[in-house]
Amino acid sequence: MEKRCIHLAVILLLLQQIKTTFSMVNITTDQTALLALQSQISLYDPHNVLGRNWSTSTPVCSWIGVTCGPRHGRVTALNLSSMNLKGMVPTQLGNLSFLISLDIRNNNFHGSLPEELARLRRMKRINAMNNNFTCTIPSFFGMLPNLQSLYLSFNQLSGNIPPSLFNITKLKDLRLRGNILGGKIPQEISSLCCLNFIELQDNKLTGAIPPTMFNQSSLKQIGLTNNILYGKLPGNICDNLPNLEALALSKNQFDGLIPPNLQNCSKLEILSLSENDFTGTIPAEIGNLTMLTVLQLGPTYLKGEIPRELGYLQRLQIFGLYQNRLSGSIPASLFNISTLQILTIVDCQLTGSLPSNIGQGTPHLKEIYLGINNLSGVFPESISNASRLTVLDLSYNKFSGSEAQSKGPDKQ
Protein backbone atom coordinates (compact mmCIF):
# COMPACT_ATOMS: atom_id res chain seq x y z
CA MET A 1 0.00 0.00 0.00
CA GLU A 2 2.86 2.34 0.89
CA LYS A 3 4.62 1.65 -2.43
CA ARG A 4 1.39 2.33 -4.31
CA CYS A 5 1.08 5.73 -2.61
CA ILE A 6 4.68 6.57 -3.49
CA HIS A 7 4.07 5.60 -7.12
CA LEU A 8 0.95 7.78 -7.19
CA ALA A 9 2.83 10.75 -5.76
CA VAL A 10 5.56 10.35 -8.36
CA ILE A 11 2.97 10.23 -11.16
CA LEU A 12 1.25 13.38 -9.87
CA LEU A 13 4.61 15.16 -9.65
CA LEU A 14 5.44 14.18 -13.21
CA LEU A 15 2.05 15.36 -14.43
CA GLN A 16 2.55 18.68 -12.66
CA GLN A 17 5.97 19.06 -14.28
CA ILE A 18 4.51 18.24 -17.69
CA LYS A 19 1.72 20.77 -17.14
CA THR A 20 4.23 23.42 -16.04
CA THR A 21 6.46 22.73 -19.04
CA PHE A 22 3.46 22.80 -21.39
CA SER A 23 2.29 26.09 -19.88
CA MET A 24 5.76 27.60 -20.28
CA VAL A 25 5.86 26.54 -23.92
CA ASN A 26 2.46 28.09 -24.53
CA ILE A 27 3.27 31.39 -22.82
CA THR A 28 6.44 31.47 -24.91
CA THR A 29 4.21 31.20 -27.98
CA ASP A 30 2.19 34.18 -26.70
CA GLN A 31 5.36 36.11 -25.97
CA THR A 32 6.69 35.51 -29.49
CA ALA A 33 3.41 36.71 -31.00
CA LEU A 34 3.45 39.92 -28.96
CA LEU A 35 7.09 40.62 -29.73
CA ALA A 36 6.26 40.26 -33.42
CA LEU A 37 3.65 42.96 -32.95
CA GLN A 38 6.13 45.11 -31.06
CA SER A 39 8.63 44.82 -33.91
CA GLN A 40 6.02 46.09 -36.39
CA ILE A 41 5.38 49.28 -34.46
CA SER A 42 8.69 49.93 -32.67
CA LEU A 43 9.72 52.56 -35.22
CA TYR A 44 6.40 54.38 -34.86
CA ASP A 45 5.92 54.29 -31.08
CA PRO A 46 6.52 57.98 -30.28
CA HIS A 47 6.62 57.49 -26.52
CA ASN A 48 8.29 54.07 -26.67
CA VAL A 49 5.49 52.69 -24.48
CA LEU A 50 5.93 49.10 -25.62
CA GLY A 51 9.69 49.34 -25.96
CA ARG A 52 10.02 50.37 -22.32
CA ASN A 53 7.50 47.86 -21.02
CA TRP A 54 7.47 44.77 -23.20
CA SER A 55 10.71 43.11 -22.20
CA THR A 56 11.72 39.45 -22.09
CA SER A 57 13.16 40.12 -18.64
CA THR A 58 9.64 40.49 -17.19
CA PRO A 59 6.68 38.08 -17.31
CA VAL A 60 4.37 38.52 -20.30
CA CYS A 61 1.33 38.79 -18.05
CA SER A 62 2.78 41.92 -16.43
CA TRP A 63 3.22 43.77 -19.73
CA ILE A 64 1.16 46.91 -20.30
CA GLY A 65 -2.11 46.18 -22.08
CA VAL A 66 -1.83 42.42 -21.53
CA THR A 67 -4.26 40.38 -19.44
CA CYS A 68 -3.82 36.68 -18.72
CA GLY A 69 -6.30 34.08 -17.56
CA PRO A 70 -6.02 32.97 -13.90
CA ARG A 71 -6.25 29.23 -14.64
CA HIS A 72 -4.00 28.63 -17.63
CA GLY A 73 -1.85 31.78 -17.51
CA ARG A 74 -2.35 32.48 -21.22
CA VAL A 75 -3.00 35.88 -22.81
CA THR A 76 -6.77 36.46 -22.92
CA ALA A 77 -7.00 40.20 -23.63
CA LEU A 78 -4.86 42.75 -25.44
CA ASN A 79 -5.70 46.44 -24.97
CA LEU A 80 -3.47 48.90 -26.85
CA SER A 81 -6.13 51.55 -27.36
CA SER A 82 -5.23 55.25 -27.69
CA MET A 83 -1.44 54.75 -27.59
CA ASN A 84 -0.76 56.62 -30.83
CA LEU A 85 0.79 53.48 -32.33
CA LYS A 86 1.48 53.08 -36.02
CA GLY A 87 2.19 49.93 -38.00
CA MET A 88 0.61 46.70 -39.19
CA VAL A 89 -0.95 43.79 -37.34
CA PRO A 90 1.38 40.79 -37.81
CA THR A 91 0.22 37.30 -38.77
CA GLN A 92 1.70 35.92 -35.53
CA LEU A 93 -1.13 37.50 -33.57
CA GLY A 94 -3.20 34.54 -34.75
CA ASN A 95 -1.14 32.38 -32.36
CA LEU A 96 -2.73 33.95 -29.27
CA SER A 97 -5.10 31.02 -29.14
CA PHE A 98 -6.71 31.98 -25.81
CA LEU A 99 -7.39 35.58 -26.84
CA ILE A 100 -10.93 36.74 -26.06
CA SER A 101 -10.64 40.50 -26.52
CA LEU A 102 -8.52 42.60 -28.93
CA ASP A 103 -8.71 46.38 -28.53
CA ILE A 104 -6.47 48.50 -30.78
CA ARG A 105 -8.82 51.43 -31.34
CA ASN A 106 -7.67 55.05 -31.69
CA ASN A 107 -4.28 54.34 -33.22
CA ASN A 108 -2.72 54.52 -36.69
CA PHE A 109 -2.62 50.88 -37.70
CA HIS A 110 -2.81 50.41 -41.45
CA GLY A 111 -2.93 47.69 -44.07
CA SER A 112 -5.35 44.87 -43.42
CA LEU A 113 -6.16 42.51 -40.59
CA PRO A 114 -4.37 39.18 -41.27
CA GLU A 115 -6.37 36.06 -42.08
CA GLU A 116 -4.53 34.20 -39.34
CA LEU A 117 -6.84 35.89 -36.84
CA ALA A 118 -9.45 33.36 -37.99
CA ARG A 119 -7.68 30.85 -35.70
CA LEU A 120 -8.78 32.76 -32.62
CA ARG A 121 -11.89 30.69 -32.02
CA ARG A 122 -12.40 32.02 -28.49
CA MET A 123 -12.54 35.65 -29.64
CA LYS A 124 -15.55 37.62 -28.38
CA ARG A 125 -14.60 41.27 -28.95
CA ILE A 126 -12.61 43.03 -31.67
CA ASN A 127 -12.30 46.81 -31.57
CA ALA A 128 -10.21 48.33 -34.36
CA MET A 129 -12.09 51.64 -34.64
CA ASN A 130 -10.42 54.86 -35.68
CA ASN A 131 -7.37 53.51 -37.49
CA ASN A 132 -6.26 53.50 -41.12
CA PHE A 133 -7.12 49.96 -42.18
CA THR A 134 -7.81 49.67 -45.90
CA CYS A 135 -8.92 46.99 -48.39
CA THR A 136 -12.17 45.13 -47.74
CA ILE A 137 -13.76 43.76 -44.58
CA PRO A 138 -12.12 40.34 -44.10
CA SER A 139 -14.53 37.49 -44.71
CA PHE A 140 -12.76 35.34 -42.11
CA PHE A 141 -14.66 37.11 -39.33
CA GLY A 142 -17.45 34.70 -40.19
CA MET A 143 -15.23 31.89 -38.89
CA LEU A 144 -15.17 33.25 -35.33
CA PRO A 145 -18.16 31.45 -33.75
CA ASN A 146 -18.03 33.27 -30.40
CA LEU A 147 -17.62 36.83 -31.69
CA GLN A 148 -20.12 39.18 -30.05
CA SER A 149 -18.75 42.67 -30.82
CA LEU A 150 -17.05 43.84 -34.02
CA TYR A 151 -16.03 47.51 -34.19
CA LEU A 152 -14.43 48.63 -37.46
CA SER A 153 -15.79 52.18 -37.66
CA PHE A 154 -13.75 55.15 -38.91
CA ASN A 155 -11.25 53.36 -41.10
CA GLN A 156 -10.89 53.30 -44.89
CA LEU A 157 -12.51 49.96 -45.60
CA SER A 158 -14.09 49.62 -49.04
CA GLY A 159 -16.00 47.05 -51.06
CA ASN A 160 -19.19 45.32 -49.99
CA ILE A 161 -20.22 44.05 -46.58
CA PRO A 162 -19.37 40.32 -46.76
CA PRO A 163 -22.41 38.08 -46.20
CA SER A 164 -20.14 35.80 -44.15
CA LEU A 165 -20.35 38.33 -41.30
CA PHE A 166 -23.87 37.18 -40.73
CA ASN A 167 -22.73 33.61 -40.06
CA ILE A 168 -21.71 34.82 -36.60
CA THR A 169 -24.89 33.85 -34.81
CA LYS A 170 -23.73 35.28 -31.46
CA LEU A 171 -22.97 38.75 -32.89
CA LYS A 172 -24.65 41.48 -30.85
CA ASP A 173 -22.83 44.65 -31.87
CA LEU A 174 -21.76 45.50 -35.45
CA ARG A 175 -20.25 48.95 -36.04
CA LEU A 176 -18.95 49.80 -39.53
CA ARG A 177 -19.56 53.54 -39.55
CA GLY A 178 -17.34 56.01 -41.39
CA ASN A 179 -15.77 53.82 -44.06
CA ILE A 180 -16.15 53.68 -47.87
CA LEU A 181 -18.38 50.61 -48.00
CA GLY A 182 -20.67 50.23 -51.01
CA GLY A 183 -23.18 47.80 -52.43
CA LYS A 184 -26.33 46.65 -50.72
CA ILE A 185 -26.99 45.61 -47.15
CA PRO A 186 -26.91 41.80 -47.37
CA GLN A 187 -30.19 39.95 -47.02
CA GLU A 188 -28.36 37.51 -44.73
CA ILE A 189 -28.63 40.05 -41.93
CA SER A 190 -31.83 38.27 -40.94
CA SER A 191 -29.80 35.34 -39.59
CA LEU A 192 -28.44 37.42 -36.69
CA CYS A 193 -30.91 36.54 -33.99
CA CYS A 194 -29.09 38.41 -31.19
CA LEU A 195 -28.09 41.68 -32.90
CA ASN A 196 -28.57 44.73 -30.65
CA PHE A 197 -26.65 47.49 -32.43
CA ILE A 198 -25.90 48.02 -36.11
CA GLU A 199 -24.07 51.17 -37.26
CA LEU A 200 -23.63 51.62 -41.00
CA GLN A 201 -23.68 55.42 -41.14
CA ASP A 202 -21.39 57.51 -43.34
CA ASN A 203 -20.69 54.98 -46.07
CA LYS A 204 -21.81 54.61 -49.70
CA LEU A 205 -24.35 51.84 -49.31
CA THR A 206 -27.07 51.69 -51.97
CA GLY A 207 -30.39 50.00 -52.61
CA ALA A 208 -33.31 49.35 -50.31
CA ILE A 209 -33.12 48.20 -46.71
CA PRO A 210 -33.72 44.43 -46.53
CA PRO A 211 -37.22 44.06 -45.04
CA THR A 212 -35.85 41.29 -42.84
CA MET A 213 -33.86 43.87 -40.85
CA PHE A 214 -37.11 45.07 -39.34
CA ASN A 215 -37.95 41.57 -38.09
CA GLN A 216 -35.10 41.39 -35.57
CA SER A 217 -36.74 41.89 -32.20
CA SER A 218 -33.37 42.14 -30.42
CA LEU A 219 -32.38 45.38 -32.20
CA LYS A 220 -31.91 48.47 -30.04
CA GLN A 221 -30.19 50.85 -32.48
CA ILE A 222 -30.24 51.12 -36.29
CA GLY A 223 -27.87 53.66 -37.83
CA LEU A 224 -28.03 54.21 -41.61
CA THR A 225 -27.48 57.96 -41.90
CA ASN A 226 -25.54 59.43 -44.85
CA ASN A 227 -25.64 56.65 -47.42
CA ILE A 228 -27.38 56.33 -50.81
CA LEU A 229 -30.23 54.14 -49.64
CA TYR A 230 -33.66 54.51 -51.21
CA GLY A 231 -37.14 53.07 -51.29
CA LYS A 232 -40.12 53.24 -48.98
CA LEU A 233 -40.20 52.35 -45.33
CA PRO A 234 -42.52 49.38 -44.73
CA GLY A 235 -45.87 50.23 -43.22
CA ASN A 236 -45.29 47.61 -40.52
CA ILE A 237 -41.79 48.85 -39.73
CA CYS A 238 -42.24 48.64 -35.95
CA ASP A 239 -44.36 45.52 -35.65
CA ASN A 240 -41.34 43.43 -34.63
CA LEU A 241 -38.99 45.98 -33.05
CA PRO A 242 -40.19 46.20 -29.44
CA ASN A 243 -36.72 47.07 -28.09
CA LEU A 244 -35.68 49.72 -30.63
CA GLU A 245 -34.27 52.86 -28.97
CA ALA A 246 -32.69 54.72 -31.91
CA LEU A 247 -33.64 54.86 -35.60
CA ALA A 248 -31.39 57.13 -37.68
CA LEU A 249 -32.18 57.21 -41.45
CA SER A 250 -31.12 60.79 -42.31
CA LYS A 251 -29.29 61.88 -45.50
CA ASN A 252 -30.54 59.16 -47.82
CA GLN A 253 -33.14 59.02 -50.59
CA PHE A 254 -36.09 57.37 -48.87
CA ASP A 255 -39.48 58.42 -50.20
CA GLY A 256 -43.16 57.73 -49.63
CA LEU A 257 -44.98 58.26 -46.36
CA ILE A 258 -43.60 58.27 -42.84
CA PRO A 259 -45.30 55.16 -41.37
CA PRO A 260 -47.74 55.89 -38.52
CA ASN A 261 -46.73 52.42 -37.34
CA LEU A 262 -43.63 54.02 -35.79
CA GLN A 263 -45.70 54.45 -32.65
CA ASN A 264 -45.27 50.71 -32.00
CA CYS A 265 -41.57 51.28 -31.31
CA SER A 266 -42.58 52.41 -27.84
CA LYS A 267 -38.99 52.52 -26.48
CA LEU A 268 -37.76 54.83 -29.24
CA GLU A 269 -35.60 57.69 -27.90
CA ILE A 270 -34.05 58.98 -31.14
CA LEU A 271 -35.91 59.31 -34.43
CA SER A 272 -33.99 61.00 -37.24
CA LEU A 273 -35.53 61.05 -40.74
CA SER A 274 -34.00 64.28 -42.03
CA GLU A 275 -32.82 64.99 -45.60
CA ASN A 276 -34.89 62.42 -47.44
CA ASP A 277 -37.73 62.61 -49.95
CA PHE A 278 -40.67 61.77 -47.68
CA THR A 279 -44.07 63.10 -48.68
CA GLY A 280 -47.45 63.33 -47.00
CA THR A 281 -48.03 64.62 -43.49
CA ILE A 282 -46.34 64.23 -40.13
CA PRO A 283 -48.13 61.30 -38.46
CA ALA A 284 -49.90 62.42 -35.31
CA GLU A 285 -49.10 58.95 -33.93
CA ILE A 286 -45.50 60.05 -33.35
CA GLY A 287 -46.90 61.85 -30.32
CA ASN A 288 -47.32 58.41 -28.71
CA LEU A 289 -43.53 57.90 -28.65
CA THR A 290 -43.31 59.34 -25.15
CA MET A 291 -39.68 58.21 -24.65
CA LEU A 292 -38.39 60.39 -27.51
CA THR A 293 -35.57 62.81 -26.69
CA VAL A 294 -34.57 63.67 -30.29
CA LEU A 295 -36.92 64.17 -33.26
CA GLN A 296 -35.50 65.32 -36.61
CA LEU A 297 -37.85 65.63 -39.62
CA GLY A 298 -36.34 67.97 -42.17
CA PRO A 299 -35.71 68.82 -44.90
CA THR A 300 -38.21 66.61 -46.71
CA TYR A 301 -41.39 67.24 -48.72
CA LEU A 302 -43.85 67.04 -45.84
CA LYS A 303 -47.02 69.12 -45.91
CA GLY A 304 -50.01 69.77 -43.70
CA GLU A 305 -49.93 71.02 -40.13
CA ILE A 306 -47.61 70.18 -37.27
CA PRO A 307 -49.67 67.79 -35.12
CA ARG A 308 -50.51 69.22 -31.71
CA GLU A 309 -50.00 65.64 -30.41
CA LEU A 310 -46.24 66.25 -30.56
CA GLY A 311 -46.74 68.18 -27.36
CA TYR A 312 -47.17 64.82 -25.63
CA LEU A 313 -43.44 64.20 -26.04
CA GLN A 314 -42.60 65.31 -22.54
CA ARG A 315 -39.00 64.02 -22.68
CA LEU A 316 -38.12 65.72 -25.94
CA GLN A 317 -34.89 67.74 -25.86
CA ILE A 318 -34.18 68.42 -29.55
CA PHE A 319 -36.84 69.06 -32.19
CA GLY A 320 -35.71 69.77 -35.75
CA LEU A 321 -38.15 70.61 -38.53
CA TYR A 322 -36.93 72.64 -41.49
CA GLN A 323 -37.35 73.15 -45.22
CA ASN A 324 -40.76 71.53 -45.55
CA ARG A 325 -44.06 72.57 -47.15
CA LEU A 326 -46.15 72.82 -44.02
CA SER A 327 -49.08 75.08 -43.27
CA GLY A 328 -50.85 76.45 -40.24
CA SER A 329 -49.28 77.68 -37.01
CA ILE A 330 -46.86 76.27 -34.46
CA PRO A 331 -48.89 74.29 -31.88
CA ALA A 332 -48.89 75.89 -28.45
CA SER A 333 -48.37 72.41 -26.99
CA LEU A 334 -44.72 72.41 -28.14
CA PHE A 335 -43.99 75.23 -25.71
CA ASN A 336 -45.19 73.12 -22.79
CA ILE A 337 -42.43 70.51 -23.17
CA SER A 338 -40.38 71.32 -20.08
CA THR A 339 -37.36 69.28 -21.22
CA LEU A 340 -37.00 71.04 -24.60
CA GLN A 341 -33.54 72.53 -25.20
CA ILE A 342 -33.30 73.20 -28.96
CA LEU A 343 -36.32 74.07 -31.13
CA THR A 344 -35.75 74.40 -34.88
CA ILE A 345 -38.69 75.15 -37.20
CA VAL A 346 -37.10 76.95 -40.16
CA ASP A 347 -38.29 77.53 -43.74
CA CYS A 348 -41.57 75.67 -43.31
CA GLN A 349 -44.10 78.25 -44.62
CA LEU A 350 -45.85 78.49 -41.24
CA THR A 351 -48.24 81.33 -40.36
CA GLY A 352 -50.01 82.71 -37.30
CA SER A 353 -48.72 84.08 -34.03
CA LEU A 354 -46.83 82.49 -31.17
CA PRO A 355 -48.60 81.59 -27.90
CA SER A 356 -48.56 84.34 -25.28
CA ASN A 357 -47.00 82.04 -22.65
CA ILE A 358 -43.93 81.10 -24.69
CA GLY A 359 -40.97 80.60 -22.37
CA GLN A 360 -43.00 79.82 -19.27
CA GLY A 361 -43.26 76.08 -19.89
CA THR A 362 -39.76 75.61 -21.31
CA PRO A 363 -37.26 76.40 -18.53
CA HIS A 364 -34.41 74.48 -20.21
CA LEU A 365 -34.74 76.05 -23.66
CA LYS A 366 -31.34 77.21 -24.96
CA GLU A 367 -31.83 77.78 -28.70
CA ILE A 368 -34.86 78.79 -30.81
CA TYR A 369 -34.72 78.94 -34.61
CA LEU A 370 -37.95 80.08 -36.29
CA GLY A 371 -36.58 81.92 -39.32
CA ILE A 372 -37.91 81.99 -42.91
CA ASN A 373 -41.60 81.51 -42.16
CA ASN A 374 -44.64 83.80 -42.28
CA LEU A 375 -45.16 84.12 -38.54
CA SER A 376 -46.74 87.37 -37.42
CA GLY A 377 -48.09 89.28 -34.45
CA VAL A 378 -46.32 90.72 -31.43
CA PHE A 379 -43.53 88.56 -30.12
CA PRO A 380 -44.50 87.55 -26.54
CA GLU A 381 -42.60 89.17 -23.68
CA SER A 382 -42.93 85.90 -21.75
CA ILE A 383 -39.84 84.68 -23.60
CA SER A 384 -37.85 86.39 -20.82
CA ASN A 385 -38.83 83.43 -18.60
CA ALA A 386 -36.56 81.19 -20.66
CA SER A 387 -33.52 82.20 -18.59
CA ARG A 388 -31.14 79.76 -20.32
CA LEU A 389 -31.85 81.03 -23.82
CA THR A 390 -28.66 81.91 -25.72
CA VAL A 391 -29.86 81.91 -29.36
CA LEU A 392 -33.10 83.37 -30.70
CA ASP A 393 -33.48 83.59 -34.48
CA LEU A 394 -36.74 85.07 -35.77
CA SER A 395 -35.38 86.40 -39.07
CA TYR A 396 -37.53 86.65 -42.20
CA ASN A 397 -40.93 86.65 -40.53
CA LYS A 398 -43.62 89.31 -40.04
CA PHE A 399 -43.47 89.96 -36.32
CA SER A 400 -44.38 93.44 -35.14
CA GLY A 401 -43.62 95.57 -32.11
CA SER A 402 -40.40 96.67 -30.40
CA GLU A 403 -39.89 93.31 -28.72
CA ALA A 404 -39.68 91.50 -32.05
CA GLN A 405 -37.42 94.14 -33.55
CA SER A 406 -34.90 93.72 -30.77
CA LYS A 407 -34.60 89.99 -31.31
CA GLY A 408 -32.27 88.48 -33.87
CA PRO A 409 -29.78 85.68 -34.42
CA ASP A 410 -27.46 85.02 -31.48
CA LYS A 411 -29.17 87.60 -29.30
CA GLN A 412 -31.17 87.17 -26.16
Side-chain angles (χ1 to χ4, degrees):
M1 181 70 179
E2 185 177 347
K3 290 183 178 180
R4 188 179 301 171
C5 291
I6 293 174
H7 289 158
L8 182 60
V10 171
I11 292 171
L12 290 174
L13 180 61
L14 289 172
L15 288 174
Q16 182 62 37
Q17 290 177 340
I18 293 171
K19 182 179 178 181
T20 301
T21 303
F22 183 71
S23 178
M24 291 177 63
V25 171
N26 283 333
I27 197 63
T28 300
T29 301
D30 290 355
Q31 182 188 67
T32 302
L34 293 176
L35 291 176
L37 174 61
Q38 183 191 37
S39 68
Q40 290 282 351
I41 60 179
S42 58
L43 296 176
Y44 308 103
D45 184 355
H47 304 294
N48 199 28
V49 175
L50 301 190
R52 288 186 286 104
N53 191 272
W54 286 17
S55 170
T56 54
S57 63
T58 57
V60 171
C61 297
S62 68
W63 291 2
I64 188 171
V66 175
T67 301
C68 294
R71 287 191 302 130
H72 42 67
R74 299 290 303 278
V75 176
T76 56
L78 183 61
N79 185 349
L80 303 179
S81 61
S82 305
M83 291 188 179
N84 200 23
L85 303 175
K86 181 180 179 181
M88 299 181 68
V89 177
T91 60
Q92 291 91 333
L93 218 61
N95 294 329
L96 298 175
S97 54
F98 278 75
L99 199 64
I100 293 174
S101 176
L102 175 63
D103 189 345
I104 55 174
R105 70 184 186 275
N106 301 333
N107 284 292
N108 292 293
F109 286 104
H110 61 272
S112 59
L113 293 167
E115 292 186 6
E116 285 76 9
L117 295 184
R119 298 201 295 258
L120 304 179
R121 310 286 286 178
R122 292 179 171 86
M123 186 69 77
K124 292 182 179 180
R125 295 175 293 275
I126 296 178
N127 193 335
M129 291 176 59
N130 199 19
N131 280 282
N132 291 307
F133 289 112
T134 54
C135 300
T136 59
I137 296 176
S139 59
F140 68 74
F141 285 129
M143 301 171 62
L144 301 176
N146 293 300
L147 195 63
Q148 297 178 13
S149 302
L150 179 59
Y151 297 159
L152 300 176
S153 296
F154 306 113
N155 282 282
Q156 300 178 44
L157 299 170
S158 57
N160 297 344
I161 300 174
S164 59
L165 277 187
F166 306 112
N167 293 334
I168 314 171
T169 55
K170 294 183 180 180
L171 194 63
K172 295 181 178 180
D173 202 341
L174 178 61
R175 310 208 182 207
L176 306 177
R177 181 177 186 174
N179 284 287
I180 322 171
L181 300 172
K184 296 183 177 182
I185 301 173
Q187 295 282 347
E188 290 83 354
I189 192 172
S190 61
S191 62
L192 296 181
C193 62
C194 304
L195 193 63
N196 296 149
F197 305 93
I198 181 165
E199 287 190 354
L200 304 178
Q201 302 100 304
D202 306 314
N203 280 287
K204 296 184 178 181
L205 299 172
T206 61
I209 304 174
T212 51
M213 179 183 287
F214 302 117
N215 292 330
Q216 295 174 273
S217 60
S218 58
L219 275 173
K220 294 182 179 180
Q221 293 184 14
I222 299 175
L224 301 173
T225 295
N226 196 20
N227 280 285
I228 318 172
L229 299 169
Y230 55 80
K232 294 176 173 56
L233 299 183
N236 61 347
I237 184 173
C238 281
D239 279 0
N240 299 300
L241 296 173
N243 297 302
L244 195 65
E245 297 173 357
L247 181 62
L249 302 172
S250 297
K251 296 184 180 180
N252 280 287
Q253 298 173 14
F254 297 118
D255 57 17
L257 304 178
I258 296 176
N261 173 268
L262 284 169
Q263 69 173 334
N264 290 339
C265 290
S266 58
K267 295 184 180 180
L268 207 58
E269 297 177 14
I270 298 174
L271 178 59
S272 181
L273 304 177
S274 300
E275 297 188 47
N276 282 287
D277 298 324
F278 291 116
T279 56
T281 60
I282 301 173
E285 290 84 353
I286 290 179
N288 293 326
L289 296 172
T290 55
M291 302 294 287
L292 273 186
T293 60
V294 177
L295 177 60
Q296 301 278 13
L297 296 176
T300 62
Y301 296 102
L302 298 173
K303 59 183 181 180
E305 298 186 351
I306 300 175
R308 59 179 178 79
E309 287 84 355
L310 298 187
Y312 301 154
L313 304 177
Q314 289 298 307
R315 298 191 182 191
L316 197 65
Q317 298 175 21
I318 299 174
F319 179 42
L321 184 62
Y322 46 95
Q323 292 181 9
N324 282 285
R325 301 172 179 176
L326 301 174
S327 58
S329 59
I330 299 176
S333 59
L334 289 182
F335 297 102
N336 291 323
I337 302 176
S338 62
T339 55
L340 197 61
Q341 297 180 23
I342 301 176
L343 175 65
T344 303
I345 306 178
V346 173
D347 195 7
C348 289
Q349 304 180 23
L350 296 175
T351 58
S353 59
L354 296 176
S356 59
N357 63 341
I358 182 175
Q360 293 179 353
T362 51
H364 299 286
L365 200 57
K366 299 177 181 179
E367 301 175 21
I368 299 178
Y369 303 92
L370 301 178
I372 319 179
N373 283 290
N374 291 304
L375 301 172
S376 59
V378 177
F379 192 84
E381 295 183 2
S382 59
I383 192 62
S384 60
N385 292 304
S387 59
R388 300 187 183 185
L389 194 65
T390 59
V391 179
L392 177 59
D393 186 354
L394 308 174
S395 56
Y396 299 101
N397 279 288
K398 298 177 180 178
F399 291 113
S400 60
S402 59
E403 183 73 17
Q405 293 171 4
S406 67
K407 305 294 180 181
D410 301 315
K411 291 183 180 180
Q412 207 175 2

